[in-house]
Amino acid sequence: MKTIRVLSQEDARRMAAAAESEARQSGWNVSIAICDAGGHALWLQRMDGAPLMSAQVAPEKARACILSGKPSKVYEDMVNQGRIAALSMPVVPLEGGEPIYFDGHIIGAVGVSGVQAGQDAQVARAGVAALDGANHLYAGA
């Protein structure tokens, strides 16, 4: 039997605060979602002025990471390179979702939506970085 760490509500608060700070410093209004290893929402926040749809897209970006163990950008790149079959996969093929790994296990993900794709990812990575001991193991990122 393996022991796997799980995200706490305090972890989610800390990551959300770091992500929000990153967004505010850049003048971006976004939605921030944090999911556990099962893809279940631990946190959802839509900053004032963030697009309404971003509150639905952000959690889906996080879930894409949970299902695959990869940043959601991987699927956006697939579609942009002509692999449109990726559109039928059960993931949102949009950059802005970043998986959270701890001790080699995916324990959650941060999804951000509301600005340009690379900016969403920047905010999500700031959230992941706020979790002590977390790392990003995906070699393609």
Side-chain angles (χ1 to χ4, degrees):
M1 182 178 302
K2 294 181 183 181
T3 301
I4 299 174
R5 295 188 184 243
V6 297
L7 293 174
S8 67
Q9 191 65 47
E10 182 53 39
D11 294 331
R13 282 189 190 100
R14 185 170 53 249
M15 289 186 293
E20 180 181 354
S21 177
E22 181 74 18
R24 286 195 188 286
Q25 286 176 16
S26 299
W28 301 329
N29 298 317
V30 298
S31 289
I32 301 162
I34 299 170
C35 292
D36 65 14
H40 306 287
L42 293 174
W43 187 273
L44 177 60
Q45 161 185 358
R46 188 173 66 84
M47 295 171 62
D48 291 343
L52 295 175
M53 185 169 50
S54 68
Q56 287 194 274
V57 174
E60 292 304 318
K61 289 180 179 185
R63 284 187 195 97
C65 298
I66 298 298
L67 288 172
S68 67
K70 303 173 186 176
S72 60
K73 181 182 187 327
V74 168
Y75 301 102
E76 182 172 337
D77 289 347
M78 288 172 69
V79 172
N80 288 341
Q81 294 166 7
R83 293 186 62 197
I84 60 171
L87 293 172
S88 66
M89 298 171 83
V91 297
V92 171
L94 300 171
E95 183 176 7
E98 296 290 330
I100 305 164
Y101 280 92
F102 196 94
D103 290 337
H105 300 281
I106 191 163
I107 61 168
V110 178
V112 175
S113 180
V115 286
Q116 294 180 13
Q119 296 166 337
D120 287 344
Q122 178 182 328
V123 173
R125 285 190 297 270
V128 173
L131 185 62
D132 295 333
N135 53 47
H136 197 299
L137 292 180
Y138 180 66

